[in-house]
Amino acid sequence: MREWWIHVGLICIPLVAVYLHIPPPQLSPALQKWHSAGQVFYFRGRKVFYRDSYGALGSSDVVILLHGFPTSSYDWNKIWEPLTQRFHRVVAPDFLGFGFSEKPRPHKYSIFEQASVVEALVVHLGLINQRVNVVSHDYGDTVALELLYRSEQNRTGHLTLNSLCLSNGGIFPETHYPRLLQTLLKDSSFLAPVLTPEPDFVFGPYTQPTDAEFWDMWTGLRYNDGNLVLDSILRYINQRLKHRERWVGALTSTLVPLHMIYGPLDPVNPHPQFIRLYQQLVQRSTVTILDEHISHYPQLEDPTGFLNAYFNFIHSF
């Protein structure tokens, strides 16, 4: 874990930025490259950023990547190129309120709206009749479950899912332990300008991001004053509890091929409680538990292990 003064700094920096109007950090060359390679479409008048790469020739397979909280599609940067070598098309949006997408405030952010963002993007890209594979993480897991529910209910405009791979998401409220700052923010909107989540807190002790990687996370969060909408977005924690039957029910009843890639050192979804409950309730799913030092961000902490697990899953059906 980082020294105490860094954690204090994470609280102080947003306060200074808001009240002294310090502009957000400049994009690093790596983040600028990611941004420049992306595109924008409009969802109900709001700009939504996304990456869309064409890859493997001779394949028609499409994979859609759904990121977690409080980061962005850039979470997938370490596995992006290998995915383009396997899939014809690799797509990843920044959810509304995240990354390079618009961050309206005040705004009632919801999992339902984010699922509609993904459906609208699929229509925009001309993929509505295409069977798609979805890979999700954290917050993106719950968005994926809403998409799964709509697909199972044959809702108008739903995705046709070929497979779903989840990773380290709080899909069960009873085994989900949000960090203290997340709990404070979701119930206290007046704290939003002062507090911000600690993205490095949920990495393993041996898989911490570099200073540059950590700064890219922070920059993406601060882009378009994203720290000011965190309290509204964090109400998804309450939505998970309220709609547990809808989302867990879809997961336990679907016939869509399922896989879970899990970093067991995750303090938010701790081992063994989380994975035991998952295996008990979602018996049709296969599971990969990564090395014991991998925590909440498996695609960043162990990209090779993540890819091996995912490709083994994709080739199994």
Side-chain angles (χ1 to χ4, degrees):
M1 184 178 294
R2 293 172 180 267
E3 292 86 345
W4 65 268
W5 56 270
I6 294 185
H7 295 285
V8 171
L10 286 169
I11 295 176
C12 294
I13 291 173
L15 181 63
V16 173
V18 170
Y19 290 109
L20 299 185
H21 304 289
I22 295 175
Q26 290 189 339
L27 304 186
S28 69
L31 204 55
Q32 181 62 59
K33 182 179 179 181
W34 185 266
H35 180 259
S36 298
Q39 302 175 64
V40 167
F41 86 107
Y42 285 85
F43 173 80
R44 298 174 185 170
R46 306 290 191 184
K47 290 182 181 180
V48 174
F49 173 88
Y50 67 94
R51 286 289 310 270
D52 177 21
S53 293
Y54 287 84
L57 298 175
S59 170
S60 60
D61 293 345
V62 175
V63 63
I64 299 175
L65 311 175
L66 305 179
H67 68 81
F69 175 92
T71 43
S72 70
S73 60
Y74 192 63
D75 285 355
W76 306 107
N77 77 92
K78 290 187 178 181
I79 64 172
W80 191 264
E81 288 305 318
L83 288 175
T84 64
Q85 295 170 22
R86 166 58 180 81
F87 290 92
H88 171 62
R89 210 160 172 184
V90 182
V91 177
D94 283 355
F95 291 124
L96 200 65
F98 293 78
F100 295 122
S101 289
E102 194 165 338
K103 299 172 178 176
R105 66 179 195 276
H107 187 79
K108 292 184 178 180
Y109 292 91
S110 75
I111 295 296
F112 301 102
E113 180 183 51
Q114 305 290 19
S116 295
V117 168
V118 178
E119 289 178 335
L121 176 59
V122 167
V123 171
H124 174 74
L125 297 177
L127 298 172
I128 192 62
N129 296 317
Q130 175 83 37
R131 297 180 66 85
V132 298
N133 303 282
V134 172
V135 180
S136 59
H137 171 244
D138 185 66
Y139 181 91
D141 281 2
T142 306
V143 177
L145 294 186
E146 173 59 20
L147 291 168
L148 179 64
Y149 175 85
R150 296 181 187 187
S151 178
E152 297 291 299
Q153 298 297 314
N154 201 28
R155 296 284 184 90
T156 301
H158 71 82
L159 272 63
T160 303
L161 293 172
N162 189 55
S163 70
L164 172 58
C165 179
L166 307 164
S167 61
N168 285 79
I171 55 179
F172 307 122
E174 59 268 42
T175 61
H176 181 239
Y177 299 89
R179 312 321 296 163
L180 175 61
L181 288 180
Q182 292 179 315
T183 303
L184 289 173
L185 278 169
K186 78 180 179 68
D187 296 321
S188 305
S189 59
F190 69 91
L191 292 175
V194 182
L195 301 179
T196 189
E198 301 171 85
D200 69 326
F201 191 77
V202 285
F203 283 77
Y206 306 112
T207 55
Q208 289 283 309
T210 65
D211 290 343
E213 290 168 341
F214 178 79
W215 194 248
D216 283 341
M217 289 182 175
W218 168 243
T219 301
L221 191 156
R222 275 282 288 124
Y223 191 85
N224 285 340
D225 291 326
N227 55 307
L228 300 183
V229 303
L230 293 177
D231 59 314
S232 298
I233 293 174
L234 271 165
R235 288 165 191 165
Y236 78 87
I237 295 174
N238 297 332
Q239 293 167 21
R240 279 176 172 167
L241 181 61
K242 181 177 180 180
H243 302 288
R244 181 192 186 281
E245 182 176 348
R246 175 188 181 102
W247 293 330
V248 175
L251 184 63
T252 58
S253 63
T254 187
L255 296 179
V256 170
L258 298 172
H259 191 66
M260 167 66 72
I261 301 176
Y262 178 63
L265 202 59
D266 186 354
V268 182
N269 307 288
H271 185 272
Q273 299 98 306
F274 170 80
I275 205 65
R276 281 179 179 171
L277 183 59
Y278 182 85
Q279 291 176 312
Q280 176 187 341
L281 296 181
V282 195
Q283 296 183 5
R284 290 193 61 258
S285 176
T286 52
V287 172
T288 298
I289 300 178
L290 298 174
D291 290 345
E292 61 182 13
H293 63 278
I294 304 302
S295 185
H296 184 70
Y297 281 86
Q299 75 276 37
L300 291 174
E301 297 176 66
D302 185 11
T304 300
F306 191 99
L307 283 168
N308 288 339
Y310 184 59
F311 287 153
N312 286 339
F313 164 60
I314 283 292
H315 296 148
S316 69
F317 61 89

